[in-house]
Amino acid sequence: MTNNCVVKIARSAVFTLAAVTTLVGCDTSDSAMLAEKSLVYCAEGSPEGFNPQTVTSGTTIDIVAKQLYDRLITIESKDNSLKPSLANSWHVTDDGLMYTFYLRRDVQFHQTDYFTPTRQLSADDVVFSFQRILNQNHPYHFVGGAQYPFFQSVNFSDIVNKIERINDYTVRFHLSKPDSAFLANLATDFAVILSKEYGELLYKQGNTNLIDSRPIGSGPYKFKDYRSGSFVRYYAHQEYWRGSPNLQQLVIDVTPSNTSRLTKLMSSECDVIAYPIAHEKIIENENLNLESKTAFNVGYLGFNTQKPPFDNTLVRKAVAHAINKQAIIETIYFNQAEMAKGILPPNSWASSDDLKGTEYSVVKAKTYLLQAGYEQGFTMDIWAMPVQRAYNPDALTMAKLIQADLAKINITVNIVSYEWTTFLRRLSQGEHQSVLLGWFADHPDPDNFFSPLLSCASAQTGNNRTFWCNQEFDMLLERALQTNDINQRKHYYRQAQQLLSEKLPLLPIAHSKRFQASTDQVRGDILTAIGGLDFFNARKQTTQEAE
């Protein structure tokens, strides 16, 4: 080991040292290779697992989805259109009940130290992946607790009647009813294709539980190792069908502290960091870059409509009118967000211009409180999520602002928080009274806001954090999905939005931008407007470019 190598490694975290020595050894030329061919992304939390079918956590999706897996189709980031991925093309019958996908050939699954594939992607893998979600007799359906929250929230098992293997490279989905969002749902980060051959191997070994923790996909990176709460390491998938990534390794450093992530970025321990703070400080540093994307998202205050006093619409309206959203936009989002009038962002084609939003008015708030029989006020809990999200960069501070607002109408607020995994689990069990949370769309279809957030099916799974279930609302969503006439769909979604503004199961607060910071050596688009991060095109500045 040369002295030069020692200096370079001393500036890196322990996990990076392990990754580098495993991959390239350590001499002067190898150190240059480390600088140019490896990237460290500092994330705000640990992944819940390594299979996007089973989670909705943004942290997990960012770390796992586009790095390890492919889907049949994907979303073009430039214009949000659907484009081929593992399926070269597809055909939909006129009645909207049969979708036939023609698969790409020569797609290789990952070869790792725990699995060596003997065949390429085929229709069997597609059937295996979706049957796991749909079929309770599938050997993997109940592995990991049988939670498929995204698919449950869009009623996937009710929509898909049968999946048929036509031949090695053709798969057909038979739908029980037309669904205009079906293709968009297959393009989400959750609709990943697993290896059936790997599944069969684990089954023979009696290790089915490993399918979600030692993943095999066909994406640009393959899993190497993971230390819980510390780091994840991927190697490049050299046989990737879109071409080998520029990076030889991608390391995800789990750094929950906002301040620690920024410190690591400034000392070059991180190349890219999630959810940066101190934007002005980053902009002023000529060695750093701050990127932003206008995102399809909404931050909101959700009321648990199954618990008093929030089972009363008048109480929900009282609280909504008492909250000064403009102050929140200025304090929490630094004016880098748009005040929300409804749950759809204004750039959605279904967003309604008729919505007025909830006016900030202490007088109206007190009037609704009086009508609800709570003139003397009450005490309530607000759960504030412990992690930073684009749709809510600082839930704890936001909760304090709301606490001060509600004190003006004699409502006392207790602010509650838990570690993130515990927070999500207890939320899904409905233990909260109200919660500051949000939603980042998985695809541009408006149904991706309505159904996962507020449908009755989503309430049953706990993904609908308000537990609001309204038959009229569900009927409007269903009618909107049964037609491809965009004007008809707009008509139904306008009615749905009007119903939400009247019943107010949640208070939409803001539609924000998503930010990411990096060193000036990082090249390539990583942030996506919809869905998680994509490191396939990421690379580091080469020595020649630097010169």
Side-chain angles (χ1 to χ4, degrees):
M1 182 180 292
T2 66
N3 289 335
N4 188 36
C5 181
V6 171
V7 171
K8 286 179 180 292
I9 287 175
R11 294 187 305 192
S12 302
V14 174
F15 62 80
T16 308
L17 171 62
V20 173
T21 52
T22 301
L23 184 63
V24 297
C26 190
D27 59 23
T28 304
S29 59
D30 289 342
S31 295
M33 191 174 182
L34 164 65
E36 296 177 5
K37 294 294 184 181
S38 300
L39 186 144
V40 179
Y41 166 64
C42 287
E44 75 283 11
S46 298
E48 293 176 80
F50 288 91
N51 182 354
Q53 292 177 328
T54 63
V55 300
T56 55
S57 151
T59 302
T60 305
I61 295 300
D62 285 348
I63 293 173
V64 174
K66 287 186 173 68
Q67 324 321 327
L68 295 180
Y69 296 98
D70 289 307
R71 291 137 292 278
L72 289 174
I73 51 182
T74 190
I75 299 169
E76 173 60 65
S77 60
K78 293 178 182 176
D79 59 7
N80 294 332
S81 62
L82 301 179
K83 69 175 187 178
S85 182
L86 293 182
N88 264 324
S89 61
W90 56 90
H91 174 263
V92 186
T93 55
D94 290 341
D95 61 6
L97 294 178
M98 282 199 301
Y99 288 70
T100 305
F101 295 91
Y102 305 96
L103 302 184
R104 187 180 302 279
R105 302 190 181 217
D106 300 325
V107 174
Q108 303 282 352
F109 282 104
H110 299 155
Q111 179 172 346
T112 66
D113 51 9
Y114 54 87
F115 178 66
T116 300
T118 64
R119 64 167 178 80
Q120 299 170 342
L121 170 84
S122 77
D124 291 330
D125 301 303
V126 179
V127 174
F128 173 84
S129 300
F130 288 102
Q131 286 290 10
R132 177 185 179 181
I133 298 166
L134 295 168
N135 182 2
Q136 294 191 8
N137 295 318
H138 189 283
Y140 283 91
H141 181 77
F142 289 106
V143 171
Q147 292 294 315
Y148 306 96
F150 173 79
F151 297 97
Q152 290 166 331
S153 70
V154 298
N155 278 324
F156 199 68
S157 59
D158 291 336
I159 294 167
V160 178
N161 190 35
K162 183 174 68 172
I163 304 175
E164 183 180 8
R165 178 192 190 281
I166 305 298
N167 58 43
D168 281 353
Y169 295 100
T170 309
V171 179
R172 181 169 295 151
F173 287 68
H174 297 258
L175 272 55
S176 58
K177 56 186 177 182
D179 188 316
S180 54
F182 182 70
L183 283 175
N185 285 331
L186 292 190
T188 64
D189 286 331
F190 310 104
V192 298
I193 303 303
L194 311 176
S195 163
K196 181 184 179 185
E197 183 182 17
Y198 180 54
E200 290 176 337
L201 174 68
L202 293 178
Y203 186 79
K204 289 177 183 175
Q205 295 174 342
N207 290 323
T208 54
N209 61 307
L210 295 182
I211 197 166
D212 298 332
S213 59
R214 302 184 77 190
I216 292 293
S218 62
Y221 296 95
K222 57 186 180 182
F223 180 86
K224 180 56 182 174
D225 50 25
Y226 170 49
R227 293 184 191 172
S228 179
S230 182
F231 75 94
V232 183
R233 180 173 50 178
Y234 299 147
Y235 282 175
H237 179 197
Q238 302 290 354
E239 294 80 28
Y240 187 44
W241 60 272
R242 294 166 65 194
S244 179
N246 293 301
L247 301 171
Q248 288 194 11
Q249 65 176 330
L250 172 63
V251 178
I252 291 93
D253 174 2
V254 178
T255 308
S257 162
N258 300 333
T259 303
S260 295
R261 286 200 303 277
L262 181 60
T263 301
K264 286 184 174 182
L265 180 71
M266 298 182 78
S267 63
S268 295
E269 287 185 54
C270 303
D271 297 303
V272 182
I273 64 170
Y275 304 106
I277 58 172
H279 291 182
E280 290 184 3
K281 192 173 184 179
I282 293 171
I283 293 170
E284 290 170 357
N285 189 324
E286 62 181 13
N287 297 318
L288 303 179
N289 291 320
L290 181 67
E291 302 168 67
S292 66
K293 284 277 187 186
T294 300
F296 261 46
N297 67 24
V298 61
Y300 63 81
L301 173 64
F303 304 106
N304 187 339
T305 60
Q306 298 299 308
K307 282 190 172 182
F310 296 118
D311 54 347
N312 186 332
T313 304
L314 295 172
V315 175
R316 301 197 293 267
K317 288 186 175 181
V319 169
H321 280 290
I323 294 175
N324 186 345
K325 292 198 288 188
Q326 183 58 45
I328 290 175
I329 298 292
E330 294 170 3
T331 305
I332 305 300
Y333 299 91
F334 303 104
N335 285 319
Q336 296 296 317
E338 186 160 341
M339 188 185 298
K341 296 179 180 177
I343 63 172
L344 290 182
N347 51 346
S348 167
W349 56 259
S351 179
S352 173
D353 295 332
D354 298 334
L355 288 182
K356 304 296 183 187
T358 307
E359 176 192 4
Y360 171 53
S361 170
V362 174
V363 173
K364 287 187 176 180
K366 288 181 176 178
T367 300
Y368 279 119
L369 213 54
L370 175 63
Q371 292 176 4
Y374 286 98
E375 186 179 8
Q376 302 304 316
F378 56 84
T379 298
M380 61 174 280
D381 292 342
I382 290 181
W383 285 27
M385 60 183 192
V387 298
Q388 194 177 24
R389 287 288 180 274
Y391 53 69
N392 191 333
D394 189 347
L396 184 60
T397 301
M398 188 185 291
K400 291 177 180 175
L401 292 176
I402 293 174
Q403 185 182 50
D405 285 339
L406 296 187
K408 297 173 185 173
I409 58 170
N410 297 322
I411 295 177
T412 302
V413 171
N414 298 317
I415 299 173
V416 178
S417 195
Y418 299 98
E419 179 274 330
W420 185 224
T421 304
T422 304
F423 189 89
L424 291 175
R425 177 176 54 77
R426 299 184 74 159
L427 264 186
S428 65
Q429 294 169 351
E431 296 182 19
H432 58 293
Q433 268 190 312
S434 69
V435 60
L436 285 170
L437 208 63
W439 181 256
F440 201 108
D442 312 298
H443 59 67
D445 194 284
D447 184 70
N448 192 241
F449 279 88
F450 292 113
S451 288
L453 282 181
L454 290 161
S455 69
C456 293
S458 190
Q460 290 174 1
T461 65
N463 210 41
N464 171 354
R465 311 303 191 183
T466 73
F467 293 90
W468 183 68
C469 175
N470 183 288
Q471 298 302 324
E472 182 183 357
F473 180 77
D474 267 24
M475 180 192 67
L476 291 168
L477 300 190
E478 186 168 346
R479 287 180 177 174
L481 290 175
Q482 287 176 348
T483 176
N484 286 320
D485 184 325
I486 195 164
N487 288 325
Q488 278 291 313
R489 296 192 72 195
K490 283 181 179 178
H491 171 70
Y492 291 128
Y493 287 137
R494 275 198 297 271
Q495 293 184 61
Q497 291 171 82
Q498 188 59 41
L499 187 59
L500 288 180
S501 70
E502 293 170 4
K503 301 298 183 183
L504 218 62
L506 56 77
L507 174 66
I509 295 175
H511 308 290
S512 73
K513 290 184 177 181
R514 181 173 182 178
F515 290 89
Q516 176 180 270
S518 63
T519 69
D520 62 355
Q521 291 185 312
V522 177
R523 302 286 185 273
D525 290 333
I526 297 171
L527 270 180
T528 61
I530 294 175
L533 304 176
D534 187 350
F535 286 93
F536 172 60
N537 289 312
R539 66 180 181 87
K540 300 282 287 291
Q541 181 186 45
T542 65
T543 305
Q544 288 181 333
E545 287 175 321
E547 293 171 350

